Amino acid sequence: MSRIGRFLRCAGLVALGSLLLVGCPGNGPDELVVTFPEAFRWGTAASAFQIEGAEDNTWVQFTTLPEFEGKTVEPAGTGVDGWERYEEDAALVEALGADVYRVSFEWSRIEPERDVWDEHAFEHYRTVLEGLRARGIEPT
């Protein structure tokens, strides 16, 4: 820790970006107060690849094709069925008190073949985004 960092820490003020820690960290949880700017937004994130379980994805191919054997620790799994359970996921984000959710779209669902577009996938993701906004959660 730099001299100025030690000084600020001992003085009881530590600034981390837009956060301000008041109290001397290390003196116990009751002596540390964390304040956030009024406009601070709480959020969470998920990757479609990680949660949806799409099978025709380049990452799934990377982890399962014979020519890539040994280049990954284990093959990609099936996710946690986020494609079907998106409403439950939105409820969990809301229960956390988050007001921002970084979502991603599984491209292999949107364009399953080159220049072939899946309207059902577009509609599904539209429904996901509308559902988040209805809960007061801004998708990013």
Side-chain angles (χ1 to χ4, degrees), residues 49-72:
F49 166 69
Q50 294 170 325
I51 67 171
E52 286 185 7
E55 295 175 8
D56 188 26
N57 175 294
T58 55
W59 286 108
V60 171
Q61 292 171 8
F62 178 79
T63 63
T64 58
L65 291 176
E67 58 264 31
F68 295 112
E69 187 174 342
K71 295 183 180 179
T72 60

Side-chain angles (χ1 to χ4, degrees), residues 75-120:
T78 58
V80 292
D81 199 22
W83 178 259
E84 297 293 332
R85 300 175 70 178
Y86 62 91
E87 290 176 347
E88 293 174 57
D89 292 344
L92 290 170
V93 172
E94 182 179 34
L96 284 171
D99 59 356
V100 177
Y101 182 43
R102 200 268 304 145
V103 297
S104 73
F105 304 134
E106 177 52 56
W107 196 256
S108 65
R109 290 185 188 274
I110 295 170
E111 187 182 19
E113 297 176 39
R114 187 173 195 82
D115 297 324
V116 175
W117 306 98
D118 186 333
E119 290 300 323
H120 173 70

Side-chain angles (χ1 to χ4, degrees), residues 1 13 24 26-27 29 36 41 45 48 65 68 77 82 86 90 106 128 130-131:
M1 180 180 290
L13 299 174
C24 194
N27 288 343
F36 297 89
R41 303 198 58 196
L65 291 176
F68 295 112
Y86 62 91
E106 177 52 56
V128 170
E130 289 170 354

